[in-house]
Structures are given as structure tokens and as C-alpha cells.
Amino acid sequence: MRPAYARLAALPLALLASAAFAQSAAAPTAPLILADTMADPDWIGPPVERAWWSWDGQRVQYQLKRDGAIIRDTWQTNAAGGAAQRLDGAARNDVDAVNPVYDAARSRMAFIRNGDVFVRDLRSGALTQVTRSNETESRPQFSRDGNLVFRVDNQWFQWRAGQGVSQAAQVLAQNDPAKAPKADALRDYQLATIDTLRNDRAQREASREQDEAWRKSDPSRAPRAVYLGSDVEIVDTALSPDGRYLLAVTQDKKGEAGTGGKMPKYVTESGYEEFEEVRTRVGRNEPLPQKLWLVDVATGKSSELKFDKLPGISEDPLAAMRKAAKKDALKGDRPVRIETDGDGRNAAVRWSDDGRHAGVLIRATDNKDRWIASVDLAGAALQARHRLNDKAWIGWDYNDFGWLPDGGLWLLSEQSGYSHLYVSDGGAAKPITSGKWEVSDPQLGADGKTFFFLCNRKWPGDYEVCAVDRNGGAVREVTALDGVENFALSPDGRKVLVRYSESYVPPQLAVVDASGEGAGEGRAVKLTDTRKDGFKQREWIQPEYVQVPSKHGAGTVWGKFYGPKNFDPGKKYPIVMFVHGAGFLQNVSERYPNYFREQMFHNLLVQQGYVVLDLDYRASQGYGRDWRTAIYRQMGHPELEDYLDGLDWLVANKQGDAGRAGIYGGSYGGFMTFMALYRAPGKFKAGAALRPVSDWSQYNHEYTSNILNTPELDPEAYKKSSPIEYAAGLQDNLLIAHGMIDDNVFFKDSVMMTQKLIELRKDKWEIAPYPLERHGFVHPDAWYDEYRRIYELFERTLKK
């Protein structure tokens, strides 16, 4: 292992000096220093993290991180503009909350605040606190006649104005005490032999039957609990808003979930080594299959909803792989899951507000199929409404769905190759948007007839709020802000609260007219600018959005280029190429980047004589299904082709020096740095692999099995895609940097790579461990140390 170089030229020493931070922040024209770029981002100013409308649509409330703390304060400003104020003390008692739900007349809204349910009258503004508990309530929904249901764990409650809260349903993973136990010869003998036992049992049964009869005739009593058996675990429940039916998702309580890992922690408050339990690895074991139950709340009857009628459920897309791997053929239908995210926003079970329709999103555990089915409540059966099949894997970010007031079903699907909006009025789903662009975050307007959503129609990195009629037609752009992050419709549906950003503007707030009339940045009322002067007044290099032609049949690879204002015509510039993380993430857009520190670092590199290119390589988000799945069973191969094409483009168009090129990135970007140095030796003289994956068999199931299937079924895909298989190709300079308590990409990945490089007797490499950092570094000292090493690596290898 090669020790880190300590020597730096005089200028880089000044560049790295952390003591100059305060002076630099006060003097925006001073040269950028590394301490600025890696400092606590409080110096930039807090981004607006969450925002929502007040009940009257006249004010906007939002959250900001407090300087020097992890506390989030709530602020309020007038929707027409003006000074904002921080809400504290008694003023916090009257705030509304994000993601409210409305009744059919849109005269009331319900929301969760601090884990409790509140109802706001939108005519008078009167606020009713429905619950006040230490439990966490969730998933409120109004019925058409004004009943409000909500959930606490797997118990459901209901509220009506003037009637208070009552328990609406309870589902238990227990055996029903009212049911006779299974036949047993010894029990039967005991009851036949001992009169007292037999009489006591008869009295208990009589008492239970009498109590049940009284319960049924007494409307003041809560409905009887529903028992699904002691052999299941209840994963999710959803009560119809009228309280009549409940859908429950279960899985086998004794199912084998696989062996989890134990991550050591060396720097601890206790002074002793501690261990943290972490996830299982891919394929060890697969997620447990789930079942779906329909419960009649009044009778307590539960019926299993079978999946056997779903189209394609009996087909095994991995049959050929099973055969090649000499594994047993799949018996019966494929296992499925019905998955909801943690806060329930993307619920996999959704009821219409009249309680007549329920929709369920079902996914095959092999990741190749997604079904949306409705529930025949009378017949206790599923009816398939839409199937999405992908030979690679389903893109789960584009699978939202819901109900229209007229009973129609709306959904997102990538079936055309791009995420678009569809409506089904009982038959086949019909597209109401189309084109080579993406629809995301659809929301139904207050009129029940207009969809609002995010779109990137102009080019893949330009995001606006768009709108279209539920029957289709012309798509109109409501905003012209270029970098819309998300949005919220006002309670009356007339305004849109937009959270937007720019390359050097962290997310801010603006309000626009929902009609889109006169849409334009000038017509948007901008409400916030939380940037601090030291950051705002600096002259930052605006990225140039470029299109790199692919020599490998991929068309255009979009990128962000950072270079000098005025090129020296006789000079060739050293090159740094950046690789974003996550794989399925978009970094080439007009939004504030996830990698804002890296963007500032790119400014610093340009200041020191480099040119920088950041690409949305194949697998990135925002470019459609084919772009996303190009890496199926071959991670690191199409992406490397894109970076090699980018390297050639820099040489041909931006005076880049092909002999002095470096590459770096974190997570997926660290993985790609390994692949670039190992599989294309000599192309990059240096690379920094940060928190990198070295062996995909060590990563998680939910991500990896989508792209590479499982190691036992598709070992060739793992061999082809794991950098550790190519480590012998290393001949250039490599820095590995990794947080030691990373619970996403385990530090073990870098330890394994270290051992491999030792065994291969490689030189020109080094590793930097960070004992108190997880996947995303949080401490400025660690950020600074990591990027000091990256900078020094490039200076000593690319400036020669």
C-alpha cells in the first residue's frame, strides 16, 4: 500500500488551508478553498425541506434546519410574498401539516401533526384535535358521508363530527378464542371423563355466545376483533373509509428472513467495541411471500384473496436460469408481495372514498411483474386491471395509482418505455400522456378532473409542473422554473405551492396560478431565498449542459461540463470525470444537485486548471425504461462505455488532455471508479473510489436482485459486474475512502478489496477509513479529509 503524499505546491497549500474559511466566506471574490466546499452546509443557507399550505390558502408553512443544530423549525409566510416568521410556542398549536386529505365536498381537511389526527373546517378555520395520544396515528381518509378513519398500528378508528372517536376494526395475529380447538383424542377423553371440565367449558361457551349476541345488538360496542391466526405476521392493513371492509397483508411468521450481518463500531461513547445488526445480503433469503385477506368487519369473516388469476402469475421468467443452474423448477404460482413505504404515502392498498372500490399493487418477488388489481368485495376475489411486465426489472419509482371520483382507476406505467399516466374506466388502461419524457408525482386537482404532475418535456433535466385533463388532451406547463422539486395544490385548488431549485440555489418556495395562465418565472411569486450572503455573492461556474454522442449505440449521453470562462488556445487541460451515486439517480438537471459539495469542488478544480465532466450514464433516472435497464446483468459495462465516450468528447471539444484524466465518485460512483481503473487500465491515471461496492453479492436484495437476479441463479451476472473480479487490471493510482459504520455499502467491501490488492501485490493505491461516518458523511472534518486526499491524488498524478 502506498503512503499518502505530503508534499504540495505553495498555491495548493493556500487552497487547502481551513483557517481561511471565514475570510473567504466574507470575501466572495477571494479564491475558493477546500474548507469552503467541505464546510458544514450551514454556511450556504438551509434548503426548504418540507412545505405546505395553511387551511385558507393565504399562507405557506415550511421547515428549515436551524444553524448548528439538527432541529427543524416551522416558518410561515404570506402566499403573496412578504417577510417570513418563525413559529414558536403557542403559535405552533395552530399550524397545518403536509399531505392533508379532504372530504368529498372539500369543506374539511384532515392531517397528522406530531402523530395526532386533526380536522380543519375550511369554511371557518376551526381546528378540531381528534386524538391526543403517545401513539402514532396515520393514513386518514374521509368517506363520502363524512366518516374519517385512521390507523394506529393495526387498529383502526373512526371519527364523525359530534360523535367522537370509536374503534372501527382490529386485526390480530392470533387464533380466534371462539373457535373450537383442533380435534385431539386426549382432550376429548378428558371432557368425556370429567364432568366438571365439561360443565365449565359449556358455561364459558354460553357466556361467550351471550356476549357476542349482545355485542351485535348494541351499536355502542366496538366491532369484534378479527383473528388471522398465530402463524402469520400482519404486515399492513387498510380499512375502507365507511368502515365496512378491511384488507390485510400477511406473511409467514416463521419464514426464514436470512442471516443478518453484524457491523463493528470501534469509536464509541462506552469506550468498548460495539456491534450493530445490519441487513442480509442479496439472495440470502429472498423477501418473504405475502398473502392478502378481505375482512368483513361486521361479521368478522376473513377470506383469502388468491393471486392465481393474475395474468402471467404461473409463468416463470427465470426458468431457463434455474435449469442452467441445476435448480428445482418453480412449483405453482410465483410468490408475490404487497409493499407499502414506511409513511404510507405510496400505499399498496387504496380505497375509493365511497368504499366501493379497493385497488392493490402487487409485485412478483422476482421483480419481473407488477399487477394492479381491484377487489370484488361481494365475490371476495381479485380482478386484474393492469399488468406491467419487464424482462429486466420493474422500475418501482413509477408505479403510483389511485381512484377518481367517478370510479375510474388512474395509474403510472412505463409500458410505452417512459413513465406516463393512464386511466381505466373498467376496461384496458388508456394513456392520457405520451412522449419521450417522464411523468412523476401525479396529483388529482380539486375539481376531480385535472391531473397535475412533474414532467421533463423540454429536455430530461428540465422539470416543471404540468397538467392534463383526466380524459387526455393537450398537456400544459403550469410553471416555468426549470428545476421544480415537488409541489402542493392549495386547498381550493387554485394555486400551486412549488418547491424549486437551481444549480446554486438550494430548494426554495414559489406560488403560481394553477391555471398556468401567464406561466413563466416572472409570474411566479417567489417566497424564500434562504441562501447566505457569503454563498450567494460568490461567482459560481454555471454548468454547461452538454450532449455527448455515444459510439456504442446509446444515442446521447447528457452531461454537466465545468470549465474556464476563457480557454487558453494552446493548452490541453487535465480532466476530472465525476460519477454520481445510486445508479438510478439523475444529476444532470437544472435542480440543486444532490452532490452540492462536489459541485463546489468542481469549481475549485476548474480554478486550479482542470476541466470537469459529470454524466448521467446509462442506468440514470429521467431517460426512460431502456436507459434504466441497459445495465441488466452487466453493471459497470454500458456505464464505462459512456465515460470513455465522454473522455473522447472532452479531448475533441474542450481541449482535454487524454493522457491526464482522473475519475471519482461515491457509492455507485465508487463502484464505477473501480471498473474504470480495472477494466480500462491506462485510460485514467488516477481514481478515487468512495464508499464503493466491490462485490455485488454483498449488497442488499431489494436493489441488487432487480439488476442481477440472485447469485445462485445468475452467478455470471455477478461475476461480470463485480469489480473484485477485475482487480488484477489495476495499474494506475487508486484511493479508496470508506466510512467504517456504513450500513448501506458495508466497510467490509473495501476491506475485501484491500485484501485482494494485497494478494495481487498491487502498488500505487491507498485506503482511508473513517471510523464515525456512515454512507453519507455528516462531519465536516471527515468531508475535508476525504476531499483533501482526492485533490492531492489528482494534483500529483494529473499535473505532471
Side-chain angles (χ1 to χ4, degrees), residues 243-513:
R244 182 175 176 185
Y245 291 103
L246 181 142
L247 287 166
V249 180
T250 66
Q251 62 191 28
D252 186 356
K253 185 180 290 185
K254 297 180 180 179
E256 178 55 54
T259 302
K262 291 187 180 296
M263 181 174 67
K265 300 166 72 174
Y266 294 100
V267 181
T268 62
E269 290 186 13
S270 70
Y272 291 91
E273 298 83 0
E274 298 174 5
F275 294 86
E276 180 178 315
E277 293 187 1
V278 289
R279 58 167 170 79
T280 57
R281 272 68 164 175
V282 59
R284 298 168 173 74
N285 284 5
E286 295 188 14
L288 296 175
Q290 295 175 338
K291 293 182 178 181
L292 180 65
W293 305 84
L294 174 66
V295 176
D296 186 317
V297 175
T299 66
K301 180 184 177 182
S302 60
S303 305
E304 184 181 352
L305 301 177
K306 299 288 188 178
F307 303 114
D308 56 347
K309 302 302 182 185
L310 296 176
I313 189 70
S314 62
E315 302 166 4
D316 181 8
L318 299 174
M321 286 185 187
R322 292 186 207 282
K323 185 176 180 180
K326 297 181 180 179
K327 301 295 181 182
D328 292 338
L330 188 66
K331 296 178 181 179
D333 294 338
R334 285 186 284 162
V336 301
R337 288 177 64 83
I338 301 160
E339 296 183 335
T340 294
D341 66 8
D343 63 6
R345 280 198 68 195
N346 295 316
V349 180
R350 298 194 177 182
W351 287 94
S352 62
D353 64 358
D354 60 7
R356 296 174 57 192
H357 307 287
V360 185
L361 189 145
I362 305 159
R363 59 171 289 184
T365 59
D366 58 32
N367 311 308
K368 311 296 184 186
D369 268 289
R370 183 277 286 143
W371 299 270
I372 295 175
S374 56
V375 181
D376 175 359
L377 299 174
L382 291 175
Q383 298 174 327
R385 300 291 295 270
H386 190 268
R387 177 192 181 191
L388 181 62
N389 172 263
D390 199 307
K391 293 180 180 179
W393 77 94
I394 301 295
W396 295 109
D397 281 18
Y398 301 113
N399 278 284
D400 205 355
F401 75 105
W403 295 99
L404 293 161
D406 58 12
L409 178 74
W410 65 264
L411 58 98
L412 283 184
S413 174
E414 276 188 316
Q415 66 186 56
S416 70
Y418 291 84
S419 173
H420 280 292
L421 194 56
Y422 294 75
V423 167
S424 167
D425 291 312
K430 299 178 180 179
I432 61 171
T433 64
S434 62
K436 292 184 177 182
W437 50 276
E438 306 270 77
V439 171
S440 59
D441 192 21
Q443 300 177 33
L444 191 61
D447 61 3
K449 300 176 182 179
T450 306
F451 281 103
F452 294 82
F453 51 88
L454 293 184
C455 63
N456 58 349
R457 299 195 308 164
K458 291 181 181 177
W459 69 277
D462 182 332
Y463 284 89
E464 305 292 355
V465 178
C466 286
V468 71
D469 186 85
R470 64 91 69 206
N471 294 315
V475 174
R476 57 184 173 87
E477 292 193 357
V478 177
T479 60
L481 292 166
D482 301 331
V484 174
E485 301 272 352
N486 50 41
F487 66 95
L489 300 171
S490 63
D492 63 8
R494 296 179 181 177
K495 299 284 186 181
V496 184
L497 174 62
V498 182
R499 186 169 166 268
Y500 74 97
S501 63
E502 300 172 16
S503 292
Y504 296 96
V505 179
Q508 305 296 329
L509 296 179
V511 169
V512 300
D513 195 299

Side-chain angles (χ1 to χ4, degrees), residues 1-7 685-686 730-736 754 757-758 761-768 789 792-793 796-797 800:
M1 184 168 63
R2 184 175 181 176
Y5 279 70
R7 60 180 179 81
K685 292 188 67 176
L730 179 64
Q731 68 179 40
D732 301 294
N733 298 273
L734 170 64
L735 165 67
I736 304 170
T754 295
L757 295 174
I758 291 170
R761 300 191 176 185
K762 294 294 180 180
D763 58 4
K764 297 192 296 187
W765 65 276
E766 57 187 304
I767 183 168
R789 293 172 186 272
E792 291 175 5
L793 172 70
R796 72 174 180 258
T797 59
K800 293 179 180 179

